[in-house]
Amino acid sequence: MSTLTLLASGDEFTPPGLELFDLPPIIPGVDWFTKPVLLALLSTLIVVVFCWSAFANPKIVPRGVQNVAEMGYMFVRDQVARPFLGKDADRWMGLLLSIFFLVWIWNLMGVVPVLQFPVASHIAFPIVLAVSIYVLKVYLGVKHQGPVGYFKNMMFPPGLPKAIYVLLAPIEFLSNMIIAPFTHAVRLFANMFAGHIILAFFSMVGFWFLFEKLTPLGAPLGVVGVLMTIAMTGFEMFIQFLQAFLFSMLAAMYIGNSLHAEH
Amino acid sequence: MIQAASLLAAEEGGNPLIPHTYELVVGVFAFLVVLIVVGKILTPRIQKTLVERTEAIEGGIQKAQDAQAEAQTLLKQYKDQLAEARHEASRLREEAREQGAQIKAELREEAQAEARRLVEAAHIQIEADRQQAFAQLRSEIGRLSTDLASRIVGESLEDEARQRRTVDRFLEELESSSAAVR
């Protein structure tokens, strides 16, 4: 809230912008230790502790935390891994589960009171995951289809007229090798970035018109801002889950395509 | 604070698409820790448990089916045994009845034979007695006749009274002698 107060301290209402994402170091002098870094590490801790308490000594008949975590495991296995990896699903569950849980918790940080900052809205974090998947994808593709076969399967899918390949080959190469990892990272980043701006905007409207400049005319607008903040927080939680699901699903799809030629 | 923030933004370029180097490092660290702990250590454990659970459930179902099959076999066995026992019992009853009837018939046969034998023996005895009596009587009658005749001839038939007395005396003797014989 302190950021918002400062930003809204002028005489005129200014909607929040990019400055929302430029956060000062928590300890002056330690430049790298900012809020997103703290939250990223905190998320890691949460995921590790949660999964440890659930799966360290798993029981045949699940109790408590294990039940909850198993729901997550089943979701990733049945909705993410199996549709794209089939019988290889179990081998990649560790990676996919890690990605799903970590991204989800990173995203959820955006709606946790007081913390309120989605870690993935700083593009560095999605990049780390997307690049890891990208490297893995190329490695697996070359390993399972051969260095030539991988690119041949990618750029020259069989059963098309020869002339089409002139157009298709560059597009497929561009799409698979450059656009896919880029969109993989940016999709997650942009959703969280925009979501955070929207939440900040509505909460600032509420704060400005109800606390900073309370006027008979502005008050209803402030109320609308507060209500919208609540509604958008609910919507954000849905988006956060959806993006975590989508990110891990794309990872599964890339891995699956590298293990077996697409066509 | 605003100045610090905007300064920082200026330093980093403020472009949200340019990643901060330290965040990349922290991101790699965060991801690796989760990957190792959750992906490498914990996921195999839960996978093992899930497999065990499936096996346990399948084993339980199998066990239940086995138990049911065994119960069916036992039931059939008991029914068979019961039927056999009933059959055996009726057979025994039948046998006993037959034996009883046979014994009764044998006893009757024996009793009849015994009775016949007794009657036969009685008949023989009676016949023998009769023969004996007859033989005795015959010799007696001869002797008596001779005796009577000699008396009648020997004594003069003086009068009727005497004759009567003689006859009476003879008859008395006869009676007493027959009584003695008896």
Side-chain angles (χ1 to χ4, degrees), chain A residues 22 56 58 60 70 73 90 122, chain B residues 8-9 23 30 45 47 49 53:
Chain A
D22 283 322
I60 301 263
E70 270 189 20
Y73 180 90
D90 276 1
H122 269 204
Chain B
L8 205 81
E23 283 182 355
R45 292 193 191 176
Q47 284 175 334
T49 305
R53 184 180 302 162

Side-chain angles (χ1 to χ4, degrees), chain A residues 99-109 237 240-241 244:
Chain A
I99 288 178
F100 176 75
F101 277 161
L102 188 61
V103 171
W104 194 15
I105 299 298
W106 275 355
N107 292 351
L108 269 177
M109 288 294 165
M237 286 165 83
Q240 286 162 354
F241 170 78

Side-chain angles (χ1 to χ4, degrees), chain A residues 184-196:
Chain A
H184 196 196
V186 168
R187 182 181 294 108
L188 174 60
F189 152 74
N191 270 284
M192 292 304 106
F193 187 85
H196 189 53

Side-chain angles (χ1 to χ4, degrees), chain B residues 59-113:
Chain B
I61 290 170
Q62 187 62 45
K63 211 180 283 173
Q65 279 174 345
D66 287 354
Q68 201 170 16
E70 201 185 314
Q72 290 285 359
T73 318
L74 273 179
L75 184 65
K76 196 180 172 304
Q77 210 172 319
Y78 286 147
K79 273 185 179 161
D80 286 354
Q81 280 179 353
L82 193 63
E84 203 181 322
R86 279 208 184 111
H87 184 73
E88 178 74 13
S90 78
R91 197 180 62 75
L92 281 175
R93 241 188 344 260
E94 195 62 33
E95 209 174 85
R97 194 180 295 139
E98 272 172 23
Q99 270 182 1
Q102 200 180 343
I103 288 167
K104 219 192 292 183
E106 274 174 11
L107 281 177
R108 185 181 292 139
E109 191 72 22
E110 245 170 61
Q112 277 172 350

Side-chain angles (χ1 to χ4, degrees), chain A residues 86-244:
Chain A
K87 61 180 170 48
D88 297 319
D90 276 1
R91 267 196 66 206
W92 298 101
M93 270 309 292
L95 176 69
L96 295 173
L97 195 68
S98 302
I99 288 178
F100 176 75
F101 277 161
L102 188 61
V103 171
W104 194 15
I105 299 298
W106 275 355
N107 292 351
L108 269 177
M109 288 294 165
V111 292
V112 174
V114 182
L115 305 177
Q116 281 166 324
F117 188 87
V119 177
S121 69
H122 269 204
I123 198 168
F125 299 103
I127 280 179
V128 167
L129 299 184
V131 166
S132 308
I133 294 299
Y134 180 71
V135 171
L136 181 68
K137 166 179 106 167
V138 175
Y139 167 76
L140 286 174
V142 170
K143 188 181 163 197
H144 286 270
Q145 303 173 34
V148 178
Y150 178 53
F151 289 101
K152 188 170 163 288
N153 288 335
M154 180 201 299
M155 293 160 69
F156 301 98
L160 291 172
K162 289 269 188 295
I164 296 285
Y165 289 118
V166 178
L167 203 61
L168 190 72
I171 289 175
E172 281 289 327
F173 181 81
L174 207 68
S175 146
N176 276 292
M177 300 310 288
I178 292 158
I179 295 173
F182 181 74
T183 54
H184 196 196
V186 168
R187 182 181 294 108
L188 174 60
F189 152 74
N191 270 284
M192 292 304 106
F193 187 85
H196 189 53
I197 289 185
I198 288 169
L199 285 185
F201 173 77
F202 283 116
S203 53
M204 204 149 129
V205 166
F207 190 75
W208 178 266
F209 288 102
L210 290 180
F211 292 95
E212 291 285 320
K213 304 282 177 193
L214 185 59
T215 58
L217 213 59
L221 199 61
V223 172
V224 168
V226 170
L227 292 178
M228 279 304 285
T229 307
I230 295 168
M232 289 313 284
T233 301
F235 182 65
E236 259 317 284
M237 286 165 83
F238 169 67
I239 296 290
Q240 286 162 354
F241 170 78
L242 195 71
Q243 288 304 318

Side-chain angles (χ1 to χ4, degrees), chain B residues 94-160:
Chain B
E94 195 62 33
E95 209 174 85
R97 194 180 295 139
E98 272 172 23
Q99 270 182 1
Q102 200 180 343
I103 288 167
K104 219 192 292 183
E106 274 174 11
L107 281 177
R108 185 181 292 139
E109 191 72 22
E110 245 170 61
Q112 277 172 350
E114 178 71 14
R116 261 199 309 277
R117 202 177 53 74
L118 282 175
V119 169
E120 198 76 15
H123 279 307
I124 291 167
Q125 182 67 43
I126 288 165
E127 184 62 27
D129 283 356
R130 200 180 63 83
Q131 293 286 347
Q132 195 185 354
F134 190 70
Q136 205 171 0
L137 200 61
R138 189 188 244 169
S139 67
E140 194 81 346
I141 286 172
R143 194 180 53 82
L144 283 178
S145 307
T146 330
D147 202 12
L148 180 59
S150 69
R151 274 200 205 173
I152 292 171
V153 177
E155 267 180 49
S156 55
L157 301 171
E158 293 165 30
D159 54 21
E160 211 181 88

